[in-house]
Amino acid sequence: MDDHHHNPISRKDFLSKATLGLGAISLASLINPMHAFGNSFNSYIGQGPHFAPKAKRVIFLNMIGAPSQLDLFDYKPILTKMHGVELPDSVMGDRVTATVAAQASKPIVRPIYNFKQHGNSGMWMSDLMPYMSQITDELCMINSMHTESVQHEPAQMFTHTGSEIPGRPTMGAWISYGLGSENENLPNYIALMTKGNEGGSSRLLSSGFLPAEYQGVQFRSGKNPVLFLNNPPGVTEEIRREQLNHLQKLQEQNLNTWDDPAIKAKMSQYEMAFRMQTSVPEVMNTDGEPEHVYTLYGEDSKKPGTFASNCLLARRLAERGVRFIQIYHGDWDHHSNLPRQIPKRCKEVDQASAALIMDLKQRGLLEDTLVVWGGEFGRTSFSQGQLTKDNFGRDHHPDAYTMLMAGAGVKKGLTYGATDDFGYHITENKVHVHDLNATILHLLGLDHEKLNYKYQGRRFRLTDVHGNVVKDILS
């Protein structure tokens, strides 16, 4: 057999010498579309911000299941006055779930706790959030959010990837790709799950068609925060380093032969894992935190895996330059039994959410950290199912809901946007998910229209072909 059958040629040689020409490229894209073009046709490859940023990092407190904005943030007195009365047909929209569409009666239901105005701004907030109520002058409350899907997972995907269909890069991956890292010993994109109440899907951490090094890394509670990170018995740090050095040489040979970006990504991941063997135990160990910090975040902050503990970890990760930190907290999907369930969820997150913002502020980190709080859509102003004296539920509602922001570049004490008397339709300053994501990128110094990646012949971006920066909320 001829020697050339044993020695594969590089892409450069193939493109310059092969007679198949562009037809071969088309074939390659069908066989392995993610690697056919590599990065050579991409206009933006993690070169830093497009303009001076206000924020260096994002902490996204993700309430999976969709909290009821009408019980927490968007105060509507008419719901109390008309409690039990049928929602007028003129108010109902077309986008409802099949369950609600088949529901003959749609009685209006009041919020279960009182609302009060707080701070110098007079921001309305429910008594369910006593700690967040104390820091309203640090918050920007957007009451005019709207989204595309009426179902959970597509809406969650849309919030974080700009598409209801899985497979696109998530926000954290885009930010990592666009800005690069400030800490070479920790991943740029880290997710923390509330133990026993995780919510969400691992697909929400995906780098999609971006190189694999931009994938989100989940940190777990317990002795092994990152699975398979520790060396097996009998393998020392020196042995592992020697193994990686030999592997590096082999991968460099393959890279010179194939020029495949996946090889570079894998090499990068191996090296990061080696460095994380030291950095992860250090950042996860909160024993050195003073007692007043635990008091600030609440007693749960001493219990690994709780939302409070994760908020404390988020501050520690922010201190170490991690770009995108996401905390998932689930079980906000209250189709029934809302009066019993939503107080529990609020108690789990309220104190720690406020503590994180104030802790960042005290340390000078809130000046360049953006905190985002919210779910994937809102809830209806009428009861799902039967309304009884002490029980009811609320169904999904994508046409109006609330998100909170605080920190770098965002106006303080601002309530932005408005809904109708029933909290059902937006009447002022609509903010679409694409607009929110464009604004987050803008605060990081990234132009959402320029941060793109060419894949399968099309330039993709987080905001698809939509999105406008919400300049009214910028400080």
Side-chain angles (χ1 to χ4, degrees), residues 4-26:
H4 72 269
H5 289 294
H6 297 281
N7 298 318
I9 62 174
S10 68
R11 183 195 292 116
K12 180 179 179 181
D13 290 337
F14 174 77
L15 292 176
S16 62
K17 299 176 182 178
T19 57
L20 294 175
L22 293 176
I25 298 177
S26 300

Side-chain angles (χ1 to χ4, degrees), residues 78-88 105-111 381-383 386-388 392:
I78 199 171
L79 300 185
T80 299
K81 295 177 182 178
M82 296 183 64
H83 180 75
V85 177
E86 289 292 312
L87 185 72
S105 176
K106 299 176 180 63
I108 293 169
V109 58
R110 65 174 180 266
S381 52
F382 59 85
S383 176
Q386 185 179 8
L387 172 61
T388 66
F392 64 89

Side-chain angles (χ1 to χ4, degrees), residues 23-309:
I25 298 177
S26 300
L27 177 61
S29 69
L30 292 173
I31 296 173
N32 193 346
M34 292 186 67
H35 299 153
F37 299 105
N39 284 341
S40 58
F41 290 112
N42 289 308
S43 62
Y44 191 83
I45 312 175
Q47 297 174 347
H50 300 111
F51 45 83
K54 293 290 184 70
K56 291 183 178 179
R57 68 197 68 85
V58 176
I59 301 176
F60 200 125
L61 307 180
N62 196 353
M63 307 298 132
I64 294 292
S68 169
Q69 78 284 6
L70 298 171
D71 290 286
L72 301 179
F73 308 119
D74 195 5
Y75 179 48
K76 298 299 174 185
I78 199 171
L79 300 185
T80 299
K81 295 177 182 178
M82 296 183 64
H83 180 75
V85 177
E86 289 292 312
L87 185 72
D89 291 339
S90 59
V91 176
M92 281 289 296
D94 297 327
R95 292 205 300 166
V96 295
T97 63
T99 303
V100 166
Q103 184 175 314
S105 176
K106 299 176 180 63
I108 293 169
V109 58
R110 65 174 180 266
I112 63 171
Y113 277 65
N114 293 327
F115 276 73
K116 295 186 182 72
Q117 288 180 283
H118 297 273
N120 295 326
S121 63
M123 183 180 291
W124 288 97
M125 195 169 288
S126 166
D127 290 350
L128 279 167
M129 305 289 277
Y131 288 91
M132 290 291 276
S133 295
Q134 295 175 25
I135 65 161
T136 52
D137 287 338
E138 295 292 336
L139 303 178
C140 175
M141 179 185 289
I142 304 175
N143 281 333
S144 53
M145 289 296 306
H146 63 111
T147 189
E148 297 297 307
S149 179
V150 74
Q151 299 298 341
H152 288 292
E153 188 161 353
Q156 291 160 14
M157 294 301 303
F158 193 82
T159 298
H160 297 288
T161 72
S163 172
E164 297 175 55
I165 302 172
R168 302 272 186 95
T170 58
M171 184 189 304
W174 278 114
I175 291 170
S176 297
Y177 166 68
L179 294 179
S181 176
E182 287 193 314
N183 185 335
E184 63 179 15
N185 297 320
L186 287 168
N188 220 14
Y189 172 14
I190 294 174
L192 304 167
M193 308 287 187
T194 303
K195 187 176 181 181
N197 202 9
E198 291 83 359
S201 162
S202 60
R203 287 184 288 191
L204 296 178
L205 307 182
S206 174
S207 59
F209 42 72
L210 292 178
E213 62 259 43
Y214 303 116
Q215 174 90 12
V217 178
Q218 181 181 341
F219 279 19
R220 295 165 169 81
S221 60
K223 295 181 179 180
N224 296 303
V226 180
L227 297 179
F228 313 114
L229 184 64
N230 295 334
N231 289 327
V235 177
T236 65
E237 181 179 346
E238 291 74 19
I239 292 173
R240 177 63 74 200
R241 180 67 267 171
E242 185 178 358
Q243 289 175 336
L244 289 177
N245 289 341
H246 285 295
L247 184 61
Q248 180 91 359
K249 293 178 181 178
L250 290 173
Q251 297 286 43
E252 286 175 353
Q253 292 176 9
N254 286 331
L255 182 63
N256 290 333
T257 299
W258 295 103
D259 194 21
D260 188 339
I263 297 173
K264 292 181 67 176
K266 186 62 67 177
M267 292 163 60
S268 174
Q269 287 172 319
Y270 280 136
E271 290 297 328
M272 173 61 76
F274 180 73
R275 296 192 297 272
M276 284 168 60
Q277 289 181 334
T278 300
S279 62
V280 170
E282 183 274 328
V283 75
M284 297 293 285
N285 182 6
T286 63
D287 290 346
E289 294 286 344
E291 191 63 30
H292 70 83
V293 170
Y294 289 117
T295 301
L296 178 66
Y297 283 86
E299 190 64 27
D300 276 355
S301 62
K302 295 182 178 180
K303 304 172 185 176
T306 62
F307 181 84
S309 175

